[in-house]
């Protein structure tokens, strides 16, 4: 049996979320569904400690605390004025190594393979600000995956992707989930093509349903 990596117990946040309790295990591919304003993004921000719960507990397995990748709902959360290339944006995933430390050959090869798989290899030298919304989203996905997280949290990551890009994107996520046992939490309004890959789904509309 896969080990438990997150346990949420009676989680409350202001008047948005009430008594949310759930468990997440290594290798899960989870869809979190719900309407606009239902609290999906708030729940994610509580998991990431961006927000602090009113009451309740979120318990993390120590193995994953510093191995979390996150893709926010909008690519505009990255400063579009900052004159960084796609490659530079992706390499900020390794910022804890320090500004003057070079990536290893293994890290560079892995970044290049991710860029190829997600269809942005030809964009590596372009400025992030010059990209379309869908391209920016794929860059942020690759950045989140670059340091091989054990938990990947995606808040409506398929916004701005066309049908072909969306299909390839979901297939890549499924491969990473299976090959690396990366736990994935995927926030979305609708299941669509992701439905055949997920192992669990939670519906949040103020409460867990």
């Amino acid at each position: 049996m896969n080990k438990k990596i997150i346990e949420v117990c009676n989680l409350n946040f202001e008047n948005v979320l009430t008594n949310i309790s759930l468990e997440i295990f290594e290798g899960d591919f989870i869809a979190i569904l719900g309407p606009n304003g239902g609290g999906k993004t708030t729940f994610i921000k509580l998991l990431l400690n961006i927000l602090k719960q009113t009451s309740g507990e979120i318990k993390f397995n120590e193995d994953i605390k510093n191995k979390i990748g996150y893709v926010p709902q909008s690519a505009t959360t990255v400063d579009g004025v900052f004159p960084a290339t796609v490659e530079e944006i992706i390499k900020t995933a390794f910022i804890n190594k320090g500004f003057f430390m070079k990536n290893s050959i293994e890290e560079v090869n892995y970044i290049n393979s991710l860029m190829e798989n997600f269809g942005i290899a030809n964009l590596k030298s372009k400025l992030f600000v010059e990209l379309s919304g869908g391209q920016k989203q794929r860059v942020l996905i690759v950045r989140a995956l670059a340091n091989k997280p054990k938990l990947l949290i995606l808040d409506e990551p398929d916004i701005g992707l066309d049908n072909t890009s969306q299909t390839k994107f979901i297939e890549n996520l499924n491969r990473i989930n299976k090959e690396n046992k990366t736990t994935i939490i995927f926030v979305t309004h609708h299941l669509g093509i992701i439905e055949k890959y997920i192992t669990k789904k939670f519906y949040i509309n103020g409460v867990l349903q």
Side-chain angles (χ1 to χ4, degrees):
M1 183 177 175
N2 289 343
K3 66 183 176 184
K4 186 191 302 179
I5 60 170
I6 303 174
E7 183 176 4
V8 178
C9 306
N10 300 317
L11 185 69
N12 295 277
F13 180 75
E14 298 180 356
N15 62 345
V16 180
L17 296 174
T18 304
N19 291 333
I20 303 291
S21 294
L22 56 85
E23 296 177 332
I24 297 171
F25 291 83
E26 182 182 48
D28 278 347
F29 194 149
I30 293 169
I32 294 182
L33 301 146
N36 282 334
K40 301 186 304 297
T41 296
T42 298
F43 176 70
I44 293 304
K45 288 182 177 179
L46 289 167
L47 286 184
L48 293 165
N49 205 31
I50 295 171
L51 296 175
K52 181 65 178 173
Q53 63 263 33
T54 308
S55 63
E57 263 190 300
I58 302 173
K59 302 174 186 176
F60 275 86
N61 184 299
E62 289 295 325
D63 289 348
I64 69 157
K65 271 195 170 180
N66 298 312
K67 296 179 180 178
I68 300 173
Y70 170 52
V71 180
Q73 194 173 90
S74 172
T76 58
T77 55
V78 174
D79 186 2
V81 178
F82 185 65
T85 65
V86 165
E87 187 174 32
E88 288 166 342
I89 289 285
I90 291 169
K91 287 185 176 180
T92 61
F94 301 92
I95 200 73
N96 61 331
K97 294 180 68 170
F99 286 104
F100 303 106
M101 293 292 289
K102 288 187 177 180
N103 292 99
S104 67
I105 292 174
E106 181 185 1
E107 288 168 344
V108 170
N109 288 340
Y110 187 64
I111 289 170
N112 288 338
S113 70
L114 284 173
M115 292 177 73
E116 188 68 40
N117 287 337
F118 283 90
I120 58 170
N122 61 322
L123 303 175
K124 67 189 301 183
S125 298
K126 286 187 71 74
L127 291 176
F128 185 79
V129 69
E130 296 173 346
L131 305 183
S132 69
Q135 289 171 332
K136 287 178 179 178
Q137 200 70 359
R138 281 182 279 162
V139 171
L140 297 188
I141 290 161
V142 170
R143 181 182 67 169
L145 288 167
N147 58 4
K148 298 184 178 180
K150 291 193 173 184
L151 171 64
L152 178 63
I153 299 176
L154 304 152
D155 193 355
E156 299 191 40
D158 46 353
I159 291 175
L161 300 182
D162 59 39
N163 289 340
T164 301
S165 297
Q166 193 178 77
T167 299
K168 189 170 183 180
F169 163 55
I170 299 300
E171 288 172 350
N172 275 317
L173 285 184
N174 181 58
R175 180 179 52 78
I176 288 163
N177 170 250
K178 294 292 185 290
E179 291 180 1
N180 302 344
K181 291 191 78 173
T182 303
T183 305
I184 296 175
I185 300 176
F186 192 110
V187 177
T188 184
H189 281 295
H190 53 86
L191 289 174
I193 59 174
I194 195 176
E195 186 166 16
K196 63 182 178 181
Y197 299 119
I198 61 170
T199 58
K200 292 179 184 173
K201 58 185 174 184
F202 298 113
Y203 187 89
I204 294 178
N205 186 12
V207 297
L208 190 67
Q209 300 174 7

